Amino acid sequence: MNLYIEGAKVLNAVKQKKSSVKTLVYLSQYDNKKQLLALVCETLRYGSYLSDIADQVDLLKTEHLLKYDNSLAEALLFDFLIGKKGLVRAGRLKQTMTRHKTDIQKAYQKICEEAGVTSLSEVMDDQDISLPRYVRVNLIKTTVEAVISTLESEWEYVVSPATNMKRFRKTIKEFEKHHFTRDLHLPDVLVFPPGTDFHDHELMLKGEIILQDKASCFPAHILNPTEGSVVIDCCAAPGNKTSHVASLMKNQGKIFAFDKDGRRMATLQKLTSVAGVTCVITRCQDFLRVNPDDEKYKDVEYILVDPSCSGSGIVSRMNKFTDDDDSSAADRLESLSNFQALILEQAMKFPNVQTIVYSTCSIHSQENEEVVENVYEKYQEMFDLCNIMPDWPIRGIEGYEHSDHFLRMTPETSLTNGFFIACFKRKDNVKSNRKNDVDLNAEEESDMASKAKKSKKHKKSKLKEEESNVQDDDDGIVSLKKKKKKKKHKKKEEECDSDKSFNEAVVCEENEELSSTKKHKKSKHKKNKHTDVDEIDYNDSHIGAKVENDTDLCVDVEGVKKVKKHKRKHEEDNENKTTVNDCHLPSKKHKHKHENKNDS
């Protein structure tokens, strides 16, 4: 994989503002990230001069390998003209640059003459702001005195007589390359001349010292958690501030470190591991999605809020080489400030938090004073804004109500990156009355529940009353129906009574007819007298029983129909019986024979 082609890809992405330099370099497929980062950063620094040289030589027009890519030409020109090692593994691209070597050198000399220097590096040195090298001592593994003692074998320790920022700044500027001293404001920070390299130092590799700008060391000191405390670092990666908090706590207590970016969280875990931090609980999670009332966060008293920002205060960033006049566009700053306010408000929701420190590495008031003032307006009944480090000379931007409560750092005055810090403390009366507030809330909830219960009972009573009224109406209707039904039933009973009388009369009439029939049969069939009478008596008793049963059934609604049906059945029975009786009479033949016998 070609270094310059990969470098050109990153440069184009940076110019299009797709992401930061470091992020784009990290996402690149090129293995040597450090080499790629150095090429990209230096090409950006010299970009305007290198672009002029490419135009004068007409590289893009004459060389098809460059594919009209100005960033590729700039990257090649930097190593070809300024880089210490020249072009590295450039392949055919090196031949391209060599073909134009004479023209390139002429263009370079011309630019240097116009700038009044012998090399362009002189111009860039005048433009750069050189900050001291700050080294933080990791109190988990060692002490400041032990580190000073070790370093004195390589550097000369200078005891600074400075008692204020102005004198201290003068002392630092007068440093020689082998000097170092202890910081005036932060006791665990040492100060070295600009450019001092510790990356391969034994103390660095052991995790006993950590390279960290002085400005970013302030938040942990202002938070000032005690040993054994429970702390939240809500935007923790890459982990310098997290490890600093652990150092001040002597690795005793608990730190919940949140960051939603998995790669950045991996960096934090590696850094804290080297530093020997064991009290950190990492959470690869968006802090805005954390439940403040979760039981595991009930003892959190300190929260560090250092959210993503524009990074406009960092001197070493390439913003000034990539940003145009509207680089701090209002819409971008508004988006950032809205996010920062949400993070800060989320921190305020933790029930037992006592101290919250808010910090950014931005110089814009939209991300600093405005965020703090707006959030404080919402939570001023619960928190106070602290007037931190009253002797610090640089305060917030004038025009805001609490500007004198804020801290600012700038390269010119504090010899650090641009930085902003504010601190919130929970009010004492809120803390002391917290139980009472809970009790009052409980009472209010109880009263509300009681009122709701009464209201529910009243509604229920009213509902019952309505149901009762409806029931009464229904009962009235049912009663009326019963009366009608009773009247109708009475009418049927009267009809049944009349039918009963009628049936009795019919039965009597039938009995009389049967009686006459019996007499006739007696006279005609004397011989069969007893048999006939028995049969008739049987039938009569049967009929009488039937009639008696029918009269009893008249009470029923269907009584009339049954009586009528019985009447018809009775008539049919009579006819059948008559037929049966006739069958018992002697035949004509038998009668005639009998008469002849008597005559003889």
Side-chain angles (χ1 to χ4, degrees):
M1 190 172 288
N2 190 287
L3 169 65
Y4 303 98
I5 292 175
E6 291 302 309
K9 291 178 182 178
V10 174
L11 287 167
N12 287 325
V14 170
K15 291 174 181 178
Q16 294 169 16
K17 301 178 183 177
K18 292 183 177 180
S19 189
S20 67
V21 174
K22 287 186 178 180
T23 300
L24 291 167
V25 168
Y26 185 85
L27 293 174
S28 171
Q29 300 298 316
Y30 193 75
D31 293 333
N32 194 336
K33 307 292 184 185
K34 186 176 179 180
Q35 184 184 39
L36 179 61
L37 178 63
L39 175 65
V40 171
C41 290
E42 293 303 310
T43 303
L44 287 169
R45 291 180 67 217
Y46 290 89
S48 59
Y49 299 107
L50 298 174
S51 181
D52 288 344
I53 293 172
D55 290 342
Q56 291 181 33
V57 180
D58 286 338
L59 281 176
L60 299 181
K61 295 180 180 178
T62 57
E63 295 295 338
H64 69 280
L65 283 178
L66 298 180
K67 300 178 181 179
Y68 297 96
D69 189 340
N70 196 59
S71 294
L72 178 57
E74 291 172 6
L76 289 166
L77 284 170
F78 171 77
D79 264 0
F80 188 73
L81 292 169
I82 306 169
K84 295 179 180 179
K85 297 181 180 180
L87 293 172
V88 180
R89 298 178 184 177
R92 294 171 61 193
L93 291 173
K94 184 175 182 179
Q95 298 174 6
T96 299
M97 302 305 292
T98 304
R99 280 196 295 268
H100 299 275
K101 181 177 180 180
T102 303
D103 293 337
I104 291 173
Q105 289 180 340
K106 285 182 180 179
Y108 178 74
Q109 291 298 326
K110 182 180 178 181
I111 290 175
C112 287
E113 290 174 2
E114 291 175 354
V117 295
T118 57
S119 67
L120 289 179
S121 58
E122 296 177 21
V123 178
M124 300 311 298
D125 289 342
D126 292 339
Q127 292 180 357
D128 290 341
I129 299 175
S130 297
L131 299 178
R133 167 68 72 188
Y134 294 99
V135 174
R136 175 171 64 81
V137 177
N138 180 14
L139 301 178
I140 295 174
K141 290 193 169 186
T142 186
T143 63
V144 176
E145 290 74 17
V147 171
I148 290 175
S149 177
T150 302
L151 293 175
E152 281 183 320
S153 62
E154 303 175 57
W155 287 273
E156 181 183 345
Y157 180 70
V158 176
V159 178
S160 173
T163 56
N164 56 47
M165 177 64 75
K166 186 176 181 180
R167 290 182 180 180
F168 184 72
R169 188 164 57 242
K170 183 180 178 182
T171 300
I172 300 301
K173 287 184 177 181
E174 292 175 352
F175 261 8
E176 294 184 14
K177 288 187 177 181
H178 60 283
H179 288 167
F180 78 102
T181 189
R182 199 166 182 171
D183 186 69
L184 176 64
H185 305 98
L186 306 177
D188 57 346
V189 174
L190 303 177
V191 188
F192 293 80
T196 304
D197 189 8
F198 280 95
H199 288 89
D200 296 325
H201 198 280
E202 182 182 4
L203 294 178
M204 179 74 178
L205 297 176
K206 288 181 179 179
E208 293 182 6
I209 62 172
I210 294 170
L211 303 182
Q212 187 172 349
D213 183 58
K214 175 181 176 178
S216 68
C217 293
F218 273 94
H221 277 284
I222 293 171
L223 189 67
N224 194 28
T226 57
E227 292 182 28
S229 302
V230 181
V231 183
I232 285 180
D233 188 349
C234 58
C235 301
N240 277 337
K241 296 182 185 67
T242 308
S243 66
H244 193 190
V245 171
S247 175
L248 296 178
M249 293 169 59
K250 303 295 176 58
N251 217 15
Q252 301 296 317
K254 191 180 294 183
I255 303 173
F256 292 100
F258 291 93
D259 202 286
K260 64 180 180 180
D261 190 309
R263 292 189 297 269
R264 287 169 58 84
M265 182 56 76
T267 302
L268 180 145
Q269 291 171 335
K270 182 179 179 181
L271 189 150
T272 53
S273 176
V274 173
V277 179
T278 58
C279 63
V280 170
I281 301 171
T282 56
R283 294 274 190 270
C284 190
Q285 179 182 0
D286 186 349
F287 180 67
L288 293 175
R289 296 182 178 274
V290 177
N291 179 12
D293 295 320
D294 194 314
E295 183 68 17
K296 58 177 165 285
Y297 306 125
K298 66 177 182 179
D299 297 323
V300 171
E301 293 184 306
Y302 302 89
I303 298 182
L304 180 60
V305 182
D306 188 70
S308 299
C309 66
S310 63
S312 53
I314 299 178
V315 173
S316 61
R317 288 201 175 174
M318 300 291 104
N319 300 54
K320 61 182 179 181
F321 303 114
T322 60
D323 290 348
D324 48 28
D325 292 338
D326 63 345
S327 60
S328 302
D331 55 346
R332 180 169 178 263
L333 291 178
E334 183 180 1
S335 176
L336 284 169
S337 63
N338 288 339
F339 167 75
Q340 292 153 357
L342 288 174
I343 293 286
L344 183 54
E345 289 184 34
Q346 173 78 344
M348 302 241 175
K349 294 175 184 177
F350 284 77
N352 291 317
V353 63
Q354 303 300 313
T355 305
I356 300 172
V357 171
Y358 175 81
S359 64
T360 73
C361 53
S362 169
I363 62 174
H364 301 299
S365 60
Q366 294 95 321
E367 299 177 85
N368 299 323
E369 287 86 356
E370 288 186 16
V371 169
V372 174
E373 293 282 5
N374 290 337
V375 173
Y376 176 67
E377 187 177 353
K378 295 179 182 179
Y379 291 89
Q380 57 186 328
E381 294 183 0
M382 297 172 59
F383 292 91
D384 282 325
L385 270 172
C386 301
N387 187 5
I388 47 179
M389 298 181 64
D391 296 334
W392 185 260
I394 316 163
R395 314 308 295 188
I397 295 175
E398 294 183 1
Y400 293 93
E401 184 178 354
H402 300 91
S403 293
D404 58 338
H405 289 61
F406 310 141
L407 298 188
R408 271 187 175 268
M409 289 92 180
T410 64
E412 297 79 15
T413 55
S414 61
L415 298 179
T416 65
N417 286 312
F419 218 77
F420 174 88
I421 305 172
C423 179
F424 295 86
K425 289 274 190 183
R426 186 181 290 277
K427 291 185 176 182
D428 291 337
N429 61 335
V430 174
K431 179 181 177 181
S432 61
N433 293 333
R434 187 167 185 78
K435 186 176 182 300
N436 295 333
D437 291 342
V438 173
D439 292 339
L440 287 173
N441 290 336
E443 288 178 6
E444 289 177 1
E445 289 178 3
S446 178
D447 290 342
M448 290 176 67
S450 179
K451 288 179 181 179
K453 191 174 181 181
K454 287 180 180 179
S455 176
K456 188 175 180 181
K457 189 174 181 181
H458 177 70
K459 287 181 179 179
K460 193 173 181 181
S461 176
K462 192 172 180 182
L463 185 62
K464 277 186 175 181
E465 187 178 346
E466 291 176 356
E467 288 177 353
S468 178
N469 292 336
V470 172
Q471 185 65 37
D472 290 342
D473 293 341
D474 292 342
D475 290 344
I477 294 169
V478 171
S479 178
L480 184 61
K481 287 182 177 180
K482 283 183 177 179
K483 287 180 180 179
K484 289 183 177 180
K485 190 173 181 180
K486 190 174 181 181
K487 190 174 180 182
K488 186 176 180 181
H489 185 68
K490 189 175 180 181
K491 187 175 181 181
K492 285 183 178 180
E493 283 182 347
E494 289 175 355
E495 290 177 354
C496 287
D497 290 340
S498 62
D499 289 339
K500 183 180 177 182
S501 301
F502 172 77
N503 288 335
E504 288 176 349
V506 169
V507 170
C508 291
E509 184 178 350
E510 288 176 350
N511 287 336
E512 290 177 358
E513 290 178 356
L514 287 172
S515 180
S516 61
T517 304
K518 281 199 287 183
K519 289 179 180 180
H520 177 71
K521 287 181 179 180
K522 280 181 180 181
S523 61
K524 205 166 185 180
H525 306 286
K526 290 179 181 180
K527 208 171 184 181
N528 298 323
K529 177 179 177 182
H530 295 290
T531 304
D532 291 340
V533 170
D534 290 339
E535 287 182 6
I536 293 171
D537 287 342
Y538 168 76
N539 289 329
D540 286 346
S541 61
H542 178 71
I543 293 169
K546 287 282 183 179
V547 172
E548 184 178 354
N549 290 335
D550 286 341
T551 55
D552 291 335
L553 292 172
C554 286
V555 179
D556 191 75
V557 178
E558 301 295 329
V560 176
K561 293 181 180 180
K562 289 185 178 181
V563 170
K564 291 180 178 180
K565 185 177 179 181
H566 175 71
K567 183 180 177 182
R568 288 195 297 271
K569 189 175 180 182
H570 180 66
E571 290 175 351
E572 291 174 358
D573 289 343
N574 287 337
E575 290 177 358
N576 291 334
K577 287 174 183 176
T578 304
T579 306
V580 171
N581 290 333
D582 289 343
C583 290
H584 287 281
L585 294 175
S587 63
K588 288 184 178 181
K589 186 178 179 181
H590 180 72
K591 183 180 179 181
H592 180 72
K593 186 178 179 180
H594 183 69
E595 287 177 352
N596 291 332
K597 188 177 180 180
N598 289 334
D599 290 340
S600 64

